[in-house]
Amino acid sequence: MLSRIADLLVPAVGRLSLTTDPSAELAPGSIIAANHTSLADPAVVIAALRRLGGEPVVMAAAGLWRVPVLGRALAREGHIPVVRGERRAAAALDSAVDALERGRLVLIYAEGGLPHRRDAAETPPGPFRSGLSRLVERTGAPLVPVGQAGARRVTSGRAVKQLAGLVTAPVRRPALHVHVGAPLELTGDHAARTAGARAAVTTAWRTAVTHLGDAARRA
């Protein structure tokens, strides 16, 4: 349901385009890592992945499960709440391992939060936290790097600005772009896996930014 909703809502707030590396593949049991710049970008990424036939389980902040209706839908569909800074965060990793072993795609935001800047400009991926590396260590799952650009033009900045951006987006219809990279196997120690993942996602993000510029010029 979450993928279907995203597929309906995203075209209403922006113009989504999608590119992929020639060998890009959403194989069952893959980890999808995307850059996180806006509250809007999960919907953008999910809508793009649905075009490729992928409907991932999403690891997201546990606070979303307290939102009426949304929380029940997230729980029913098996999405994974992440309680940051507590021991319960380990339970999220266990749930992600289980989902991967059942052949599900798992979408993770390894930065663990949004950038602090208040303008709508693009910003590269920040430092990755340890969860992605530990998930790879436990499962050996391939990583599919995803870069998105443009979501900050829908919502960014302080709460009032975010609300205003969301309300006006259907009129402005900003360009949005998602690029899906080729899957890779992360090897080495924890630091090497984390660095490799961040580098791959950053490359996908740069590709998305380039295509976003082309879309903006065409508009």
Side-chain angles (χ1 to χ4, degrees):
M1 186 185 74
L2 192 63
S3 293
R4 292 195 298 272
I5 290 174
D7 201 29
L8 291 171
L9 290 181
V10 170
V13 300
R15 294 170 288 110
L16 175 61
S17 55
L18 170 68
T19 53
T20 65
D21 282 352
S23 54
E25 179 186 12
L26 299 179
S30 296
I31 300 168
I32 300 173
N35 62 307
H36 197 18
T37 62
S38 164
L39 292 176
D41 66 59
V44 173
V45 170
I46 290 171
L49 294 177
R50 192 164 194 258
R51 293 185 181 182
L52 300 176
E55 296 189 350
V57 169
V58 183
M59 300 183 72
L64 294 174
W65 272 252
R66 294 193 293 269
V67 178
V69 181
L70 175 62
R72 290 194 296 273
L74 292 171
R76 182 175 61 248
E77 296 178 21
H79 298 286
I80 302 169
V82 180
V83 183
R84 297 189 178 97
E86 296 185 17
R87 291 185 178 181
R88 283 183 293 167
L93 200 64
D94 292 339
S95 297
V97 170
D98 180 66
L100 290 168
E101 290 177 344
R102 289 186 286 109
R104 297 296 305 273
L105 302 171
V106 173
L107 173 59
I108 184 172
Y109 287 96
E111 294 162 87
L114 295 171
H116 295 298
R117 65 187 304 164
R118 296 175 180 173
D119 59 22
E122 292 299 319
T123 184
F128 278 17
R129 299 193 179 189
S130 63
L132 174 56
S133 175
R134 289 186 285 133
L135 191 55
V136 170
E137 183 178 35
R138 290 182 57 178
T139 64
L143 176 77
V144 179
V146 171
Q148 64 78 27
R152 291 185 62 79
R153 301 181 185 184
V154 179
T155 59
S156 61
R158 292 183 173 178
V160 172
K161 183 181 177 184
Q162 290 190 37
L163 181 59
L166 188 60
V167 169
T168 61
V171 177
R172 295 181 290 111
R173 294 187 55 75
L176 311 165
H177 192 87
V178 173
H179 181 78
V180 179
L184 67 152
E185 302 289 337
L186 296 176
T187 59
D189 60 13
H190 165 70
R193 291 193 299 268
T194 301
R198 185 184 180 193
V201 173
T202 300
T203 297
W205 167 77
R206 289 192 178 118
T207 303
V209 170
T210 299
H211 284 280
L212 181 70
D214 292 341
R217 283 192 290 273
R218 287 196 298 272

